[in-house]
Amino acid sequence: MSLFKARDWWSTVLGEKEEFDQGCLCLADVDNTGNGQDKIIVGSFMGYLRIFNPHPVKTGDGAQAEDLLLEVHLRDPILQVEVGKFVSGTEMLHLAVLHSRKLCVYSVSGTLGNVEHGNQYQIKLMYEHNLQRTACNMTYGSFGGVKGRDLICIQSMDGMLMVFEQESYAFGRFLPGSLLPGPLAYSSRTDSFITVSSCQQVESYKYQVLAFATDADKRQETEQQKLGSGKRLVVDWTLNIGEQALDICIVSFNQLASSVFVLGERNFFCLKDNGQIRFMKKLDCSPSCFLPYCSVSEGTMNTLIGNHNNMLHIYQDVTLKWATQLPHIPVAVRVGCLHDLKGVIVTLSDDGHLQCSYLGTDPSLFQAPKVESRELHYDELDIELKELQKIIKDVNKSQGIWPVTEREDDLKVSAMVSPNVDSVSQATDVEVGIDLIPSVTVKVTLQNRLALQKAKLSVYVQPPLVLTCDQFTFEFMGIPRVIQCKFRLPLKLICLPGQPSKTASHKLTIDTNKSPVSLLSLFPGFANQSEDDQVNIMGFRFLGGSRVTLLASKTSQRYRIQSEQFEDLWLITNELIIRLQEYFEKQGIKDFACSFSGSMPLQEYFELIDHHFELRINGEKLEELLSERAVQFRAIQRRLLTRFKDKTPAPLQHLDTLLDGTYKQVIALADAVEENQDNLFQSFTKLRSATHLVILLIGLWQKLSPDQVAILEAAFLPLQQDTQELGWEETVDAAISHLLKTCLSKSSKEQALNLSSQLNIPKDTSRLKKHITLLCDRLAKGGRLCLSTDATAPQIMVMPGGCTTIPESDLEERSIEQDSTELFTNHKHLNLETPLPEVLPLQGLSE
């Protein structure tokens, strides 16, 4: 970082939303006034050609109307502008404009104005060449040693050099091995073209070799070359620089010596005429442009290098002599004489900021204003210090690192969900099976009292729900703050009315303390019956075909949810409890409560865990096998390549057959990995739903507070996405183990046990299932969840009946498993298979 800024002498902004590059800037006496004053010529990719002659009244003035001599729209994008002796019969300077498919040469002239508007400038087309290939860049000079005129060489995008002798086309040659075009320059002392190939090496080609080589009608060798007629294009010298080049510039000390400067991505090089390195300099910042020129010191060179940190560095050979700040990132830099001011630095950015500046020594420092001195009252300062310390202490006691949200906060976020689905679905996947995927619109409102800084709105939904857009950014100014807003989506988004099922493999019963409510009142949009029919049974069908049946007792205070899939029970069970709570709140009843008195369905939950873990193991094996086949495939390729390059042909020994078979195995394994990833994603979604259901049942079973339920959710649902590196099983096992060793521990001996600091994929799920069973056991015996510092104290006196200790041996672990399994996992003892006596039989649905 430099203390000094480039002194702004004159500046302007070109057009709106125009783009520029390094070839779009040129300084020359293009109108041939002969007074040594340069004009600024700028071309843009939008096709605008502008010529400026700055005349600021005072330093730092912006552009005036009379500073713009000419502005014309040429329609085609302008790739490069150059000024030279391009017209035969005269040594006047003319302007060459390179388009992607055309080269145009113009004369620029001005006429004296008779009114106050000043002189008038116009351009006249002298000639143009239509190009058969798309152009990339160009260079010019006295090719072949011609006197009094300049020839133009254009490099195409496919690596062909096209030479134009002013109004006529001379010849075209393909550079050997060209893949992508690089920067191009002409050395008049050696009469050669210098470029950097896609092989990251500097290459030099003599003009005479180019002129006498075989014509490049096509890129392949012609029959004349094979028979010996015509010369092949050979390179004069090469130098490998190991990086791509941004620009090339050639500077001559005199007629006896010149240097080739190459600007790379990390270094810049100075080469001799024969390709030997004179010196090189490693750059600290990524460069954007450069301009070498002769130094006042004999035998040294100065170089201006602009970089992407808005800096302009001036080097004398490899020594940094000056650094100055620019208001933009330059893509082109030139030095010229403007308005009798020599050495003006002209820079151009990619978005059109054109600035003429010079180097100065005014530091860019903030100077604080002077303040009046006053006497210090130490007693008052001591009192103020104690008050501040008290405030800091109170803040440290409060939880969380973000400011506490008050009633009048700087930012409020609210969400309003449309009660109806969209008439035209915005879903990317239109169908799932036979069902059309609906969409719903959510309106998020941001209200801010103060100006905020770059507010970023993120929206998250649980799979398989998706969003059309999940990130929004709003540009404001202010202090950082995090605000969260949760909202519920309508059940119709993923669920449709369906026929109730008479039988089901999985059933749950929820008890309440109030009389049953009509299901038509709770789910008004999901009834298939009329009001005269039964209102104590309702069917739901998820998108994709799964069905859930909800039954309400007419005489007791219970509800039954049943389905063929265990994980499908959660959404309807959770929605039922929420709607019951909302219903009784509207009735003014505040003591409504739900409970669960059945056995915990851990066996079904463990089956989903085992299935998810099996898919993870399969994925690991498939990826390992795919890696082995890929290594084998590359080894066979190397063997074949060695055979093909060998001058003495050798039999392939069925390597081609082995290569084809290995390729098919790689493709098949890749498809298998992708299919396993899809299955793993679906399995993780089912596991999350089942986990939500288990947490909900534990909360109803033990009447846990919202804070305790939040602790369970943090332990059982720590990941939003499951990966091979960090999976659900090891993460949940570590969280549950921490709870068992802290707030649910029985003795200080358990608290002293250390947890592993690394999370690795386990060999099986037996340990995780035992810990989940033990967690339910300790909650059943009076254990409570908390995260305070007092939670590490033994809870022997609090828990009635004592708690089972964490097993330290396999025998002790087996005994705990047997006792806990009888309490929680013996699903055969559930009385949910037989119809409840208070619920009407399902046979009546067929009538």
Side-chain angles (χ1 to χ4, degrees), residues 592-607:
F592 171 76
C594 296
S595 61
F596 175 71
S597 57
S599 300
M600 291 299 298
L602 293 184
Q603 190 61 41
E604 291 85 347
Y605 184 49
F606 291 160
E607 291 177 0

Side-chain angles (χ1 to χ4, degrees), residues 136 158 289 414 644 844:
C136 175
D158 55 355
C289 62
S414 60
F644 291 148

